[in-house]
């Protein structure tokens, strides 16, 4: 069993690296879809993602969740909120990458854990440990430094961070699997997205129709680009500890940041380096605190599992008559 467990962990790590690696390298994909604009790419992503996940769910015959969801209006309303929030996230990210803001987009996913913690305090009344408070404070200082550096708040980063943090919060309450959740969200997005694409085609402005079969195939592949990392993430989430996933999540913004500098040659003046450095300090504090807490919890569980020795009282000898 130990050998099987190690094998499963390795499989989980491979899937985790694959998921975050694909998310990290996706800035290379969106420019390939030009001359399509960000809204057209977004609409195709919604439509083809639903097609892809519907085929996947039909293959595994996993549809029972859909009937249950339709009978629960509150969960359905939360899925609608999740669909709206992820629409904003996807749209801003595609626009940012294709407009030369890959580095600023990567910052959004660097600060996302800090935003998630701040939302936990403000909305869920969670109590933070001192290291977490320090990390949030350093993160706020980083945003101030970057605001000075950019001459305005880094709104792309903030929109991406807050939208994704909100999305995560809503998904926790919905409690659906990754593929099922994507299917439900894209089902809500589908009709508006399809309507927009038909409108573009009717006005002769659809690059899907006008720019050849190769371009159309690339737009259709947005469904695979969206769903495949999510499938890998789901396979990793059930096989590796949450603390490991927490460390792996930084791969995606690291790859995006490096692509922005080394491949897209975006400017990084000194004040931006200062702001990013503060963000990395905050994330290092969070990671250290999370690992320390995980070790303490593991030691406490191990101590609780050790059976206590049973002391048998010696029998008092009876007086002889």
């Amino acid at each position: 069993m130990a050998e099987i467990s190690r094998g499963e962990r390795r499989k989980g790590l491979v899937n985790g690296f694959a998921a975050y690696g694909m998310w990290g390298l996706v800035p290379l994909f969106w420019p390939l879809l030009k001359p399509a604009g960000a809204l057209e790419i977004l609409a195709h992503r919604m439509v083809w993602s639903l097609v892809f996940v519907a085929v996947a769910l039909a293959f595994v015959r996993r549809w029972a969740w859909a009937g249950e969801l339709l009978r629960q209006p509150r969960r359905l309303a939360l899925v609608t909120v999740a669909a709206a929030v992820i629409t904003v996230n996807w749209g801003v990210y595609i626009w940012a990458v294709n407009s030369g803001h890959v580095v600023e987009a990567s910052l959004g996913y660097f600060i996302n854990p800090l935003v998630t913690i701040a939302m936990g305090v403000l909305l869920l009344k969670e109590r933070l440990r001192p290291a977490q408070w320090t990390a949030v404070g350093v993160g706020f200082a980083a945003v101030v430094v970057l605001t000075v550096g950019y001459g305005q708040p880094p709104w792309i980063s903030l929109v991406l961070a807050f939208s994704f943090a909100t999305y995560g919060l809503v998904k926790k309450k919905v409690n659906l699997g990754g593929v099922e959740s994507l299917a439900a969200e894209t089902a809500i997005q589908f009709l508006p997205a399809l309507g927009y694409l038909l409108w573009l085609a009717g006005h002769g402005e659809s690059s899907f129709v006008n720019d050849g079969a190769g371009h159309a195939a690339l737009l259709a592949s947005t469904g695979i680009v969206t769903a495949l990392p999510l499938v890998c993430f789901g396979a990793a989430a059930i096989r590796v500890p949450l603390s490991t996933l927490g460390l792996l999540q930084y791969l995606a913004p690291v790859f995006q940041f490096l692509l922005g500098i080394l491949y897209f040659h975006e400017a990084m003046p000194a004040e931006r380096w200062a702001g990013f450095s503060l963000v990395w300090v905050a994330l290092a504090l969070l990671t250290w605190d999370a690992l320390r807490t995980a070790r303490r919890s593991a030691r406490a569980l191990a101590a609780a599992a050790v059976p206590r020795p049973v002391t048998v009282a010696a029998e008092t000898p009876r007086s002889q008559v």
Side-chain angles (χ1 to χ4, degrees):
M1 288 296 290
E3 190 61 38
I4 294 174
S5 178
R6 282 196 293 271
E8 285 295 295
R9 282 198 296 271
R10 280 197 296 271
K11 188 183 294 184
L13 281 173
V14 168
N15 276 284
F17 276 109
Y20 286 109
M22 284 186 277
W23 280 324
L25 296 176
V26 78
L28 296 173
F29 177 70
W30 303 125
L32 300 178
L33 304 182
K34 294 178 179 180
L39 276 179
E40 184 180 0
I41 295 170
L42 175 63
H44 276 287
R45 186 178 191 181
M46 294 171 177
V47 168
W48 294 108
S49 293
L50 179 61
V51 172
F52 182 85
V53 294
V55 170
L57 288 170
F59 181 76
V60 297
R61 298 179 181 178
R62 204 160 70 209
W63 291 106
W65 61 271
E68 295 174 7
L69 181 63
L70 290 172
R71 290 191 294 271
Q72 298 174 310
R74 183 177 177 277
R75 288 181 79 200
L76 195 56
L78 287 172
V79 170
T80 304
V81 172
V85 172
I86 202 62
T87 296
V88 172
N89 184 274
W90 286 356
V92 170
Y93 186 78
I94 292 167
W95 177 85
V97 170
N98 283 0
S99 301
H101 299 285
V102 176
V103 169
E104 192 175 347
S106 75
L107 176 64
Y109 294 103
F110 275 126
I111 66 175
N112 176 66
L114 301 170
V115 172
T116 300
I117 288 174
M119 289 177 68
V121 173
L122 295 174
L123 300 179
L124 305 178
K125 309 302 180 185
E126 293 178 356
R127 297 181 65 182
L128 298 187
R129 296 182 292 275
Q132 291 175 311
W133 275 117
T134 304
V136 171
V138 173
F140 180 78
V143 171
V144 172
V145 170
L146 288 165
T147 298
V148 173
Y150 281 104
Q152 61 181 7
W155 70 267
I156 294 173
S157 308
L158 294 173
V159 169
L160 290 174
F162 275 92
S163 60
F164 201 72
T166 304
Y167 179 66
L169 180 65
V170 174
K171 278 176 71 74
K172 268 191 172 186
K173 293 182 178 296
V174 173
N175 194 25
L176 267 179
V179 176
E180 292 87 349
S181 180
L182 181 63
E185 291 152 18
T186 50
I188 291 168
Q189 297 167 333
F190 181 80
L191 286 179
L194 182 62
Y196 177 70
L197 293 177
L198 292 174
W199 182 85
L200 283 179
H203 285 73
E205 299 176 11
S206 170
S207 67
F208 184 83
V209 175
N210 299 334
D211 288 84
H215 180 70
L218 279 173
L219 285 171
S221 67
T222 54
I224 299 174
V225 168
T226 299
L228 189 57
L230 191 63
V231 172
C232 292
F233 175 78
I238 61 175
R239 290 178 172 89
V240 298
L242 194 60
S243 58
T244 304
L245 276 182
L247 292 174
L248 287 176
Q249 74 173 326
Y250 297 129
L251 284 177
V254 165
F255 286 166
Q256 293 165 14
F257 176 77
L258 292 175
L259 282 174
I261 294 176
L262 302 177
Y263 182 80
F264 293 102
H265 304 293
E266 293 184 16
M268 277 294 289
E271 58 271 17
R272 290 186 194 172
W273 278 113
F276 270 84
S277 298
L278 285 172
V279 169
W280 295 331
V281 168
L283 293 178
L285 276 170
L286 277 186
T287 303
W288 169 76
D289 181 68
L291 291 175
R292 184 185 62 168
T293 304
R295 285 195 208 99
R296 285 180 177 175
S297 299
R299 282 198 296 266
L301 286 172
V306 175
R308 295 181 180 179
V310 179
T311 304
V312 179
E315 185 178 352
T316 305
R318 295 180 182 178
S319 300
Q320 293 182 351
V321 178

